[in-house]
Structures are given as structure tokens and as C-alpha cells.
Amino acid sequence: MKMFTKLALVSSIAISANAMAMQSMDDAALSSTTGQDGLNIGIGISKVTIDQLAIHDNDGYTDTTKGGTSTAGAIVIKANGDGTGGTIAHGVEITPNMTSLLPSHNLADLTIDTDAGANGAFLNVAAKVSGLTIKIGEIGVDKSNSYTAGNVIRGVAGTNGTSYNKILNGLTLTTGVMDANIQLGAAPQGAMINLNTTMQGGLELSNLSLHDGSGTGDIVLDSIKVASTGNANGDLALNASVKVVPTGLQITSNDASGNDIYIKGIHLGAASQASIGDVEISGLKTYYGAGNAGSQITITGH
């Protein structure tokens, strides 16, 4: 009887030990499986609105021979018509493009990881962004109000004042689903932001209306559609990088495939004027530097 008791006890210990070992292996396997470590964030925002956006130039324009007064002015985006005769209640309105949603129905899905790196640690953010409909109201220029230290609202003279002038009546930008990869720290991908993806359905600008204050007339384009050359689905390939260099913000496009552009409905004078026709551009390519395909733009202050 004692022998059976000892055998039962030994068997129990052995079974328990094996169970613990199996559990330990499962935990180790799970932690090494791709996607188990790191952080996933789903941004479930259905709409983003901005009432007014102002970009202030604090010293104005200094060339007096061309009308400069060295007085602070601002580019202003505010609520007004969107170019179609209707109005939007905000300066900027961003909503998901319902025909181009992420499978998760989120505005964006982020996958965040940190890595020791071969040449220094870095933070990696892989972003999948839903197709978006971006409506922009009226864009104009105005006199900036004086800035008061501690305030978060500075404001401009206002559209009822004599200083305000309209530049654009408004526009709508429609994008498709696309991916972006952001790295902070060592950035082994070579840039802070890397775009090497395809925008499904391409890029479309609609209801673009440029206002001429000197003649009070408009140049109205019904729509501008951009897609990669020869793409049967109308998709737009993106191959670009964004980095901050000592001279400013540098945006480099390395697209060698070229783009097709279709401009539909060109109206001169007003949207009600008859269109002069459509414009089709096939195989547009740009180059920079020593024959590099693409383009490079550097943005800096002065």
C-alpha cells in the first residue's frame, strides 16, 4: 500500500512538473510570435473639424517696392463655400471616405514597436490610413492681430475688415487607403517618414476654385484625378520620404513610373461659365539633382 502511495505521489509530481514546463514553453513561444509584443492603436474617429486655421508671418513682407509694409499677416482657412455652391460649417472637415474604408472601419490603425537597432535604438510606427474626404473652406489672407503672451488664440482682423482678401473659394480632396512607416530615433529606413505604398483609387481634387482679387473672377476646375501611368484600377503608387535636415523639412519623391492626370471641366470667370474643355496629361515625370527620377522639396523659414 505504501508502494502504491509513493508511486502515486511521484506520478503526481511528474505530471505537475510536465504541466508547468509546457506552460512555460507556451509563454515563451507566445512572446516570440510576431504581433504579440508591441502596441496596436486603432483610431476610431468618425470626423475631424477645424473652425479656423491661421498661419502667421510675424514680420510680413519687407520689399516696399512691391507693396510690402513689414506688418504681420496670415494665411487663413475658414468656413465658407466649398466651391459647389453649398457651404461647410468649418474651415477644415475630415471624414473617412466611405468607399475606401479600412477593414477595421477605423480612421487609422497604428502598430508601434521599439527596437535596439544595429546602429542605435528606434521607435517604429506602421500606419494604415483609411481613405479620406478632406473639405477645405475658403482660403484667404488677412492682417494678424497682435500676440499676447500666454494666449492660445491670436486671431486676425476678420473678414468684415478691409484687410481681408480671398484667394481660394475652397476645394475637396479625396484619397484612398494607404500605408506609411514612421521611425523616430536611429531611423534605419533612412528617413523619419517613409511612403512606399499604393493609394487605392488614386488622388482626386474637386471643386477647386482660384479667386483673382484684382478682377474679382475665378478659375474653376471641376476635378483633377491623379493615378500612376497605365494603372488599370486608377491607383496611385507612392514612393517618398520625409526627413528633417539642418536646412529644413525635406520631402523626396523617388517615383520613376510617372503619373497620368485628367483635369475635368475648366471654367474661366465663374463656375457658371461654360467649360473650355478637359485637359489630359499622360506619363508626367519629374527629375531632380543629377538626373534622379522624382522630386525633392525643402521647406524652411526666412
Side-chain angles (χ1 to χ4, degrees):
M1 189 66 181
K2 289 182 179 180
M3 181 63 68
F4 284 113
T5 302
K6 291 180 180 179
L7 286 173
L9 180 60
V10 171
S11 299
S12 298
I13 293 172
I15 292 171
S16 298
N18 286 335
M20 291 175 66
M22 290 176 65
Q23 182 65 44
S24 178
M25 290 175 64
D26 288 344
D27 288 343
L30 282 172
S31 66
S32 65
T33 301
T34 301
Q36 294 299 319
D37 290 341
L39 182 65
N40 293 332
I41 298 177
I43 302 176
I45 297 174
S46 60
K47 180 187 266 189
V48 177
T49 63
I50 300 173
D51 289 339
Q52 181 169 289
L53 175 65
I55 303 172
H56 299 277
D57 181 352
N58 292 319
D59 61 358
Y61 184 48
T62 58
D63 191 341
T64 57
T65 64
K66 297 179 181 177
T69 63
S70 299
T71 304
I75 300 171
V76 182
I77 303 176
K78 67 183 189 67
N80 203 5
D82 60 2
T84 62
T87 60
I88 59 174
H90 310 278
V92 179
E93 182 179 290
I94 304 173
T95 54
N97 175 4
M98 301 307 293
T99 62
S100 185
L101 279 173
L102 292 175
S104 64
H105 296 283
N106 288 330
L107 191 71
D109 289 326
L110 309 179
T111 301
I112 302 173
D113 295 281
T114 53
D115 192 276
N119 297 302
F122 63 94
L123 175 71
N124 194 90
V125 181
K128 184 177 286 293
V129 183
S130 172
L132 302 174
T133 297
I134 305 170
K135 291 187 176 182
I136 298 176
E138 184 174 298
I139 302 176
V141 287
D142 202 354
K143 177 182 177 181
S144 298
N145 290 335
S146 298
Y147 174 70
T148 301
N151 285 359
V152 294
I153 297 296
R154 177 177 179 177
V156 292
T159 55
N160 294 326
T162 58
S163 61
Y164 178 81
N165 282 299
K166 179 171 62 176
I167 297 176
L168 282 171
N169 292 311
L171 60 94
T172 299
L173 176 66
T174 304
T175 70
V177 172
M178 66 175 187
D179 298 334
N181 202 70
I182 303 167
Q183 290 186 340
L184 300 174
Q189 68 181 6
M192 180 175 64
I193 301 174
N194 186 51
L195 295 171
N196 192 358
T197 184
T198 298
M199 181 182 291
Q200 299 174 16
L203 176 69
E204 184 174 6
L205 282 165
S206 57
N207 308 317
L208 176 62
S209 177
L210 176 66
H211 182 73
D212 178 13
S214 63
T216 67
D218 299 324
I219 298 174
V220 181
L221 307 178
D222 291 342
S223 68
I224 304 174
K225 177 75 174 179
V226 183
S228 294
T229 298
N231 188 282
N233 299 318
D235 297 336
L236 177 63
L238 299 174
N239 186 353
S241 62
V242 180
K243 64 173 66 174
V244 182
V245 296
T247 55
L249 182 69
Q250 188 178 87
I251 304 170
T252 303
S253 170
N254 300 306
D255 181 23
S257 61
N259 296 318
D260 294 339
I261 303 172
Y262 196 88
I263 305 173
K264 186 176 184 300
I266 303 174
H267 308 264
L268 302 179
S272 58
Q273 294 288 345
S275 169
I276 65 172
D278 298 348
V279 174
E280 178 181 335
I281 302 171
S282 301
L284 174 65
K285 296 181 181 179
T286 59
Y287 300 87
Y288 70 96
N292 299 307
S295 62
Q296 190 170 85
I297 300 170
T298 302
I299 304 172
T300 186
H302 67 267

